[in-house]
Amino acid sequence: MKTFEKIDKQLEVLLKSIYSALESKEEIEVSPPEYSETAINSLVEKGLIDVIDSSTMSGWSYIVRPTYLGENYFKEKEQYEKEHKREKRIDFVKWFIPLVVSIISLGLSIYAVMK
């Protein structure tokens, strides 16, 4: 199975808003107070966006560009969650069947002893 690194909900909202703004443009500028520098840097570290530092003496500012990972993050997240749910169901069945067999065996043993 392919590995997938999930990000928290706050970063997902930020990523979604950035890619919504990038739909009609090749790049956008992000700066305070609308954006948090640490959140933007976190998205950069995970490879979900690419930035060019355009900071000045008055404050930070980045020019943001899309990446392949960022564009496909939500599709991959959905696929990962589907696979993860399927694995949970399989694990439950692997646990449940031996439990049922054990309970039936115990019932038969008790019945045999009572006769």
Side-chain angles (χ1 to χ4, degrees):
M1 181 183 1
K2 188 167 62 170
T3 60
F4 175 77
E5 186 178 347
K6 213 171 171 184
I7 58 176
D8 65 23
K9 292 290 181 191
Q10 186 178 6
L11 285 178
E12 283 185 355
V13 169
L14 176 61
L15 183 65
K16 197 173 279 192
S17 72
I18 288 172
Y19 275 94
S20 292
L22 283 168
E23 281 181 3
S24 59
K25 303 173 185 173
E26 289 183 24
E27 57 191 27
I28 60 169
E29 184 176 355
V30 296
S31 59
E34 298 89 21
Y35 297 95
S36 161
E37 184 176 17
T38 54
I40 297 294
N41 288 336
S42 183
L43 292 175
V44 170
E45 287 174 10
K46 295 179 185 320
L48 299 171
I49 58 174
D50 188 31
V51 297
I52 298 172
D53 191 354
S54 60
S55 300
T56 63
M57 296 295 275
S58 61
W60 71 271
S61 176
Y62 293 137
I63 296 173
V64 176
R65 293 182 178 162
T67 64
Y68 178 79
L69 288 176
E71 288 177 339
N72 293 306
Y73 173 81
F74 292 102
K75 291 176 194 170
E76 289 184 17
K77 178 185 173 193
E78 184 178 324
Q79 182 180 5
Y80 172 79
E81 288 175 348
K82 281 182 184 177
E83 290 174 5
H84 196 64
K85 283 181 185 177
R86 187 174 359 145
E87 288 175 3
K88 281 185 173 182
R89 277 186 246 138
I90 290 170
D91 288 344
F92 176 76
V93 169
K94 286 181 180 178
W95 168 84
F96 187 72
I97 290 174
L99 176 69
V100 170
V101 170
S102 298
I103 290 172
I104 292 171
S105 306
L106 179 63
L108 291 174
S109 298
I110 292 172
Y111 178 74
V113 169
M114 296 296 236
K115 262 188 152 181

